[in-house]
């Protein structure tokens, strides 16, 4: 068959399908609903439509503010009429099966596949410093007060935050453990780039005499209050994920992505969260500097979401394993301007499986876990050597050195939401035959930049990112302007230099033998 004949045949096959799809869309949008929201949120209206029709809304949370206050009462009206009343002519609506996709009208008229450009009122960047000694402050939170989106500063204290017009009269809040909060009225900002200086605070509130029993009682309260403290409805979370791999002091892989996380109710421990890839990039220039060992991390985004230890009920949280750990109240501090217990835990003996040691920050008022720092214990590292290394070449000795994790939660509307996580894992890789003696350091960062309640129960099977997937092999090349209006963690200076390496120079410096592959998965 000639190519032109084949193309013509395909067009004839596709045309009837497209016409049928358009007719089906028209019928569905003409379906009638009855909605009533009094002094509620836009999200309440969406949920009413979803419950009556089975249609679910899909949109960029930077484009559509689901917390917008509305009042509406329409009875037995077509869906398109309801949408017209609520949104006017501001957006374009495209119904694909049971997904109603809301996009910027101008973007949708330009192209169905071109990423939309959400209007941005403030495009802010700057530095977070210690006012006393002028040192940079990493991992400070920068967000809009009372709203669920924001970002964090990188290891160089730098941040970048994009804020849409509907928040132009709100307040920017900057906070970090060990520092007083700072508030900035957005409509008073005169500069797009600025420096924020936080005041160190004496976080020790008072000396407290505590016993092991006190610590256990706090842990019991934590478990008892999970349903009150964490979301009981499904949440659709927009997240930024970065995966960095270093061999000794050289960057050899940098990969980043925007991903959706469908986080199920904290009261439903049987239904797993799901993750789907939206868009991502990596640097081929960095990849070209691989030296002798092709070291890959399996299931990165899948496993870092598992650092939500309240959802996964990790061993040091679960009361069934309480006897395997010892707990002590180390101190009583202010965290996020709230009185907080700091509980230290460690294995109470030697065990032949993964155990951890670390600190839990538990809110005194609600008994919610708000932050955790933990790492594999000494005996846990021995178990990790067997369980984390999935595949290694013959003659190679691969030994985990440090496995450190952090997770934090953010309060919104009296609930605590999964907000950020980091996994820092170091492996010593040695081979006498191949004359290799290197330390591989993998750093994975996850930041929730926005979230909203959803009736969505699952992603499509082919959209899910699974534990067996290798993240760096699923994404495209690096692009400076790739993220558009998504909020991300700004790369540090060292990372930016690594991303801008000259590929020609990198290829001359690196040898290209038959690659030896080491794969590992996070615990």
């Amino acid at each position: 068959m000639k190519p032109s004949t084949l193309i013509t045949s395909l067009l004839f096959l596709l045309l009837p399908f497209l016409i049928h799809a358009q007719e089906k869309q028209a019928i569905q949008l003409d379906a009638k609903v009855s909605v009533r929201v009094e002094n509620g949120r836009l999200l309440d209206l969406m949920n009413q439509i979803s419950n009556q029709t089975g249609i679910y809304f899909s949109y960029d949370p930077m484009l559509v503010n689901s917390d917008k206050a509305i009042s509406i009462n329409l009875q037995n009206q077509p869906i398109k009429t309801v949408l017209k009343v609520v949104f006017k002519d501001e957006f374009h609506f495209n119904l694909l099966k049971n997904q109603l996709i809301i996009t910027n009208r101008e973007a949708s008229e330009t192209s169905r596949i071109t990423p939309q450009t959400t209007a941005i009122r403030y495009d802010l960047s700057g530095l977070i410093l210690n006012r006393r000694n002028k040192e940079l402050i990493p991992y400070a939170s920068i967000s809009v007060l009372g709203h669920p989106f924001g970002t964090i500063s990188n290891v160089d204290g730098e941040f970048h935050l994009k804020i849409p017009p509907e928040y132009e009269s709100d307040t920017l809040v900057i906070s970090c453990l060990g520092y007083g909060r700072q508030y900035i009225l957005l409509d008073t900002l005169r500069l797009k780039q600025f420096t924020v200086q936080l005041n160190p605070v004496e976080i020790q509130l008072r000396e407290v005499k505590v016993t092991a029993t006190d610590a256990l009682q706090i842990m019991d309260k934590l478990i008892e209050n999970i349903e009150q403290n964490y979301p009981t409805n499904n949440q659709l979370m927009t997240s930024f994920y970065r995966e960095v791999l270093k061999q000794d002091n050289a960057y050899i892989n940098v990969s980043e992505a925007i991903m959706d996380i469908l986080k199920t109710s904290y009261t439903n421990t049987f239904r797993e969260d799901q993750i789907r890839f939206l868009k991502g990039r990596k640097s081929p220039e960095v990849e070209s500097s691989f030296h002798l060992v092709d070291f890959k991390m399996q299931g990165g985004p899948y496993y870092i979401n598992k650092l939500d230890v309240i959802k996964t009920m990790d061993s040091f949280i679960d009361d069934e394993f309480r006897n395997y750990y010892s707990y002590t109240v180390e101190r009583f501090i202010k965290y996020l301007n709230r009185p907080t217990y700091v509980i230290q835990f460690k294995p109470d003996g030697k065990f032949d499986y993964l155990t951890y040691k670390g600190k839990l920050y538990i809110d005194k008022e609600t008994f919610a876990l708000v932050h955790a720092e933990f790492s594999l214990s000494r005996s846990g590292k021995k178990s990790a050597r067997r369980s984390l290394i999935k595949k290694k070449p013959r003659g190679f000795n691969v030994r985990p050195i440090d496995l450190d994790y952090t997770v934090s939660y953010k309060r919104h509307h009296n609930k605590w939401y999964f907000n950020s996580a980091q996994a820092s894992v170091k492996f010593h890789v040695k081979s006498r035959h191949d004359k290799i003696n290197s330390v591989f350091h993998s750093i994975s960062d996850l930041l929730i930049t926005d979230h909203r309640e959803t009736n969505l129960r699952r992603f499509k099977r082919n959209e899910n990112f699974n534990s067996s997937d290798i993240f760096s092999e699923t994404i495209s090349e690096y692009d400076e302007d790739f993220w558009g209006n998504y909020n991300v963690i700004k790369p540090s200076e060292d990372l930016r230099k690594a991303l801008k390496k000259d590929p020609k120079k990198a290829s001359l410096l690196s040898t290209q033998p038959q690659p030896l592959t080491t794969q590992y998965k996070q615990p």
Side-chain angles (χ1 to χ4, degrees):
M1 182 181 292
K2 295 181 181 179
S4 59
T5 308
L6 176 61
I7 293 172
T8 304
S9 300
L10 287 172
L11 286 173
F12 277 111
L13 287 170
L14 287 171
L15 186 58
F17 172 79
L18 291 173
I19 292 172
H20 174 71
Q22 290 169 354
E23 289 175 350
K24 184 178 180 182
Q25 173 172 319
I27 293 171
Q28 288 181 328
L29 287 179
D30 280 332
K32 293 183 177 181
V33 294
S34 296
V35 294
R36 183 177 181 178
V37 179
E38 293 182 4
N39 299 320
R41 297 177 297 164
L42 176 58
L43 179 62
D44 299 326
L45 172 67
M46 292 178 176
N47 285 339
Q48 287 187 24
I49 295 175
S50 297
N51 291 335
Q52 294 178 47
T53 64
I55 291 174
Y56 298 103
F57 291 83
S58 179
Y59 54 91
D60 179 357
M62 292 291 288
L63 181 70
V64 179
N65 179 13
S66 60
D67 283 332
K68 178 182 177 181
I70 66 166
S71 292
I72 186 172
N73 186 356
L74 293 174
Q75 301 300 312
N76 201 29
Q77 295 294 318
I79 296 173
K80 63 182 181 181
T81 300
V82 178
L83 297 176
K84 179 79 171 179
V85 170
V86 175
F87 295 104
K88 313 299 182 187
D89 292 321
E90 188 176 356
F91 302 117
H92 176 81
F93 303 96
N94 185 28
L95 189 60
L96 298 177
K97 294 185 178 179
N98 66 335
Q99 294 291 314
L100 183 59
I101 302 170
I102 306 175
T103 57
N104 182 288
R105 180 170 290 279
E106 292 181 1
S108 61
E109 289 172 354
T110 302
S111 172
R112 288 182 59 195
I113 61 174
T114 301
Q116 62 190 36
T117 54
T118 305
I120 294 297
R121 177 64 178 89
Y122 297 103
D123 192 347
L124 307 176
S125 61
L127 282 174
I128 312 294
L129 298 178
N130 182 318
R131 183 181 294 276
R132 187 176 299 167
N133 56 24
K134 308 305 179 186
E135 289 183 355
L136 301 168
I137 301 177
Y139 307 115
S141 170
I142 305 96
S143 60
V144 177
L145 185 64
H147 298 287
F149 71 90
T151 187
I152 59 175
S153 59
N154 63 22
V155 294
D156 293 333
E158 301 172 318
F159 71 91
H160 189 188
L161 180 65
K162 300 170 185 178
I163 302 174
E166 57 264 37
Y167 303 108
E168 63 180 349
S169 298
D170 280 292
T171 302
L172 195 68
V173 57
I174 301 96
S175 61
C176 187
L177 178 63
Y179 296 87
R181 281 187 172 189
Q182 185 161 328
Y183 300 91
I184 301 173
L185 295 175
L186 286 170
D187 54 12
T188 65
L189 283 173
R190 297 292 179 264
L191 299 174
K192 293 183 178 179
Q193 294 184 322
F194 55 93
T195 298
V196 178
Q197 299 188 47
L198 298 182
N199 288 311
V201 295
E202 183 59 45
I203 59 178
Q204 185 78 32
L205 292 183
R206 60 181 174 86
E207 293 296 327
V208 288
K209 294 182 179 180
V210 293
T211 65
T213 303
D214 294 324
L216 293 177
Q217 288 174 349
I218 294 171
M219 294 300 296
D220 287 338
K221 289 286 188 180
L222 186 155
I223 300 297
E224 290 172 12
N225 287 279
I226 286 178
E227 185 172 354
Q228 288 74 36
N229 286 328
Y230 300 90
T232 54
N233 297 316
N234 289 358
Q235 298 290 319
L236 185 61
M237 296 182 155
T238 304
S239 67
F240 172 73
Y241 176 76
R242 176 181 290 142
E243 194 173 281
V244 175
L245 182 62
K246 296 175 70 174
Q247 181 178 353
D248 299 320
N249 293 321
Y251 288 94
I252 59 175
N253 179 271
V254 180
S255 305
E256 304 173 324
I258 299 294
M259 309 188 89
D260 274 342
I261 298 175
L262 181 59
K263 187 159 287 290
T264 58
S265 167
Y266 280 76
T267 59
N268 186 350
T269 57
F270 298 102
R271 183 178 287 275
E272 277 201 340
D273 297 342
Q274 294 187 339
I275 300 173
R276 69 180 174 192
F277 172 85
L278 295 181
K279 61 186 303 188
R281 67 179 183 181
K282 64 181 176 181
S283 176
E285 298 87 9
V286 178
E287 273 194 1
S288 66
S289 64
F290 270 119
H291 181 65
L292 296 175
V293 178
D294 186 0
F295 194 98
K296 298 177 181 178
M297 183 169 76
Q298 189 176 68
Y302 174 88
Y303 285 111
I304 199 168
N305 181 60
K306 295 286 187 181
L307 291 181
D308 181 357
V309 294
I310 295 295
K311 183 68 193 298
T312 58
M313 289 297 288
D314 222 310
S315 61
F316 51 85
I317 299 292
D318 196 336
D319 53 4
E320 289 187 19
F321 297 91
R322 191 68 52 77
N323 293 333
Y324 294 97
Y325 290 93
S326 63
Y327 302 83
T328 57
V329 179
E330 181 188 79
R331 52 189 173 143
F332 186 47
I333 68 168
K334 262 197 174 182
Y335 180 75
L336 301 179
N337 271 9
R338 297 174 63 86
T340 304
Y341 296 107
V342 180
I343 293 185
Q344 190 175 62
F345 68 92
K346 61 182 179 180
D348 192 13
K350 293 183 179 180
F351 305 99
D352 193 26
Y353 54 81
L354 296 177
T355 54
Y356 302 88
K357 60 179 181 179
K359 296 178 181 180
L360 305 175
Y361 293 69
I362 299 175
D363 185 72
K364 181 178 182 293
E365 178 186 333
T366 64
F367 291 98
L369 178 70
V370 298
H371 181 79
E373 304 165 357
F374 56 100
S375 57
L376 276 178
S377 64
R378 189 171 183 178
S379 59
K381 290 178 184 178
K382 293 181 180 179
S383 300
R385 192 169 185 174
R386 298 188 298 270
S387 61
L388 299 186
I389 310 298
K390 182 175 181 181
K391 178 183 176 184
K392 67 181 181 70
R394 180 177 297 179
F396 272 67
N397 180 35
V398 183
R399 177 172 58 89
I401 304 173
D402 295 311
L403 298 98
D404 303 313
Y405 308 96
T406 62
V407 58
S408 67
Y409 299 83
K410 188 175 182 180
R411 197 165 187 246
H412 180 64
H413 290 166
N414 296 321
K415 293 284 188 178
W416 293 88
Y417 294 83
F418 182 50
N419 183 58
S420 65
Q422 184 185 80
S424 174
V425 182
K426 289 183 180 179
F427 286 90
H428 185 204
V429 179
K430 188 174 182 180
S431 170
R432 291 185 178 180
H433 179 268
D434 294 283
K435 297 180 180 180
I436 293 175
N437 188 4
S438 287
V439 172
F440 286 82
H441 187 189
S442 168
I443 305 170
S444 302
D445 284 291
L446 178 71
L447 173 67
I448 306 301
T449 58
D450 207 344
H451 62 80
R452 68 179 189 272
E453 189 178 314
T454 181
N455 285 326
L456 189 64
R457 293 179 59 83
R458 60 182 60 85
F459 295 144
K460 293 180 181 178
R461 185 185 298 271
N462 61 352
E463 291 180 336
N464 277 336
F465 190 95
N466 298 309
S467 60
S468 59
D469 293 331
I470 296 175
F471 174 68
S472 61
E473 295 182 351
T474 65
I475 53 181
S476 59
E477 294 184 357
Y478 187 86
D479 176 2
E480 284 279 354
D481 302 317
F482 186 77
W483 297 127
N485 291 328
Y486 283 104
N487 281 313
V488 301
I489 306 173
K490 189 173 182 177
S492 65
E493 183 179 357
D494 285 347
L495 193 54
R496 290 196 295 270
K497 288 179 180 178
L499 290 169
K500 294 178 179 178
K501 278 185 179 179
D502 186 335
K504 293 181 180 179
K505 290 183 180 179
S507 62
L508 291 173
L509 292 173
S510 60
T511 56
Q512 299 294 331
Q514 182 69 27
L516 301 171
T517 303
T518 300
Q519 295 181 2
Y520 79 94
K521 60 181 181 179
Q522 296 185 44

